[in-house]
């Protein structure tokens, strides 16, 4: 599942210590007005960075996360947090976050990132899980790329008295 990346872009790993603020800003802007914001509320930069660090710690031993950078501006325009969790007993790969800035959607960046994760994990992982809220605008793309709905679950909370 290798897809071509438009000529003006490069895909690469990132340095969380040097690029966390820029990546957090891409994720905040990319999720703005979507189902994630509707359900969880908009994240602050600190919350986005903390969440990113948490996810990357889970994938610390087998990280496939990457960013796409526009060559002419050297700006990050898309982010994919992916890997195999260190405590995962079934060795499946996960795409925990995938975000493309609105002005760069529709040119194949998300498709490229998903295809890269699937290709790069193929030999070590029986399947790839993609975490997505029902109602996400990208559901069509995920279905088109062969993802199917998995088991349904719910988050439950206990109210304190």
């Amino acid at each position: 599942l290798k897809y071509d990346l438009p000529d003006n872009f490069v895909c690469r790993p990132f340095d969380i210590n040097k690029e966390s603020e820029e990546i957090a800003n891409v994720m905040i802007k990319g999720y703005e007005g979507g189902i994630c914001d509707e359900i969880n509320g908009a994240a602050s930069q600190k919350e986005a960075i903390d969440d990113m660090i948490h996810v990357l710690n889970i994938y610390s031993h087998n990280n496939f996360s990457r960013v796409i950078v526009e060559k002419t501006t050297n700006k990050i325009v898309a982010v994919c947090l992916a890997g195999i969790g260190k405590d995962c007993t079934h060795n499946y790969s996960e795409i925990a976050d995938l975000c493309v800035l609105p002005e760069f959607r529709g040119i194949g960046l998300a498709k490229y990132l998903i295809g890269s994760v699937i290709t790069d994990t193929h030999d070590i992982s029986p399947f790839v899980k993609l975490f997505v809220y029902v109602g996400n605008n990208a559901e069509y793309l995920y279905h088109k790329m062969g993802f199917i709905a998995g088991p349904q679950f719910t988050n439950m909370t206990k109210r304190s008295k």
Side-chain angles (χ1 to χ4, degrees):
L1 287 174
K2 277 290 192 187
Y3 297 98
D4 292 330
L5 193 59
D7 289 339
N8 191 37
F9 299 91
V10 63
C11 183
R12 63 169 173 76
F14 57 87
D15 184 341
I16 190 65
N17 297 313
K18 295 179 181 175
E19 299 176 297
S20 62
E21 289 181 6
E22 184 178 4
I23 294 168
N25 290 338
V26 168
M27 294 176 77
I28 290 166
K29 189 172 181 185
Y31 289 137
E32 188 174 66
I35 191 75
C36 293
D37 274 6
E38 182 181 321
I39 292 170
N40 300 317
S44 68
Q45 187 181 65
K46 182 186 179 329
E47 290 168 330
I49 291 170
D50 289 348
D51 187 50
M52 194 180 353
I53 290 169
H54 174 75
V55 169
L56 294 175
N57 281 333
I58 292 170
Y59 301 150
S60 62
H61 82 294
N62 229 336
N63 185 4
F64 294 92
S65 301
R66 43 184 61 91
V67 294
I68 292 180
V69 176
E70 186 181 32
K71 290 179 186 175
T72 55
T73 63
N74 205 31
K75 291 173 111 177
I76 296 172
V77 300
V79 178
C80 180
L81 301 183
I84 299 173
K86 58 185 170 190
D87 296 324
C88 178
T89 56
H90 296 91
N91 213 36
Y92 57 82
S93 304
E94 300 173 333
I95 298 174
D97 280 292
L98 178 64
C99 191
V100 178
L101 288 175
E103 60 269 30
F104 294 95
R105 292 182 184 155
I107 58 173
L109 303 183
K111 192 175 187 179
Y112 180 87
L113 287 167
I114 294 168
S116 294
V117 170
I118 292 169
T119 300
D120 293 349
T121 63
H122 177 74
D123 291 338
I124 59 174
S125 179
F127 63 91
V128 177
K129 285 174 57 174
L130 179 106
F131 297 98
V132 61
Y133 283 108
V134 173
N136 184 309
N137 290 334
E139 276 186 284
Y140 174 77
L141 169 65
Y142 304 147
H143 287 293
K144 191 174 168 183
M145 293 188 73
F147 286 88
I148 56 173
Q152 302 285 319
F153 65 91
T154 185
N155 290 329
M156 299 177 78
T157 58
K158 182 178 183 329
R159 293 184 186 167
S160 58
K161 294 183 180 190

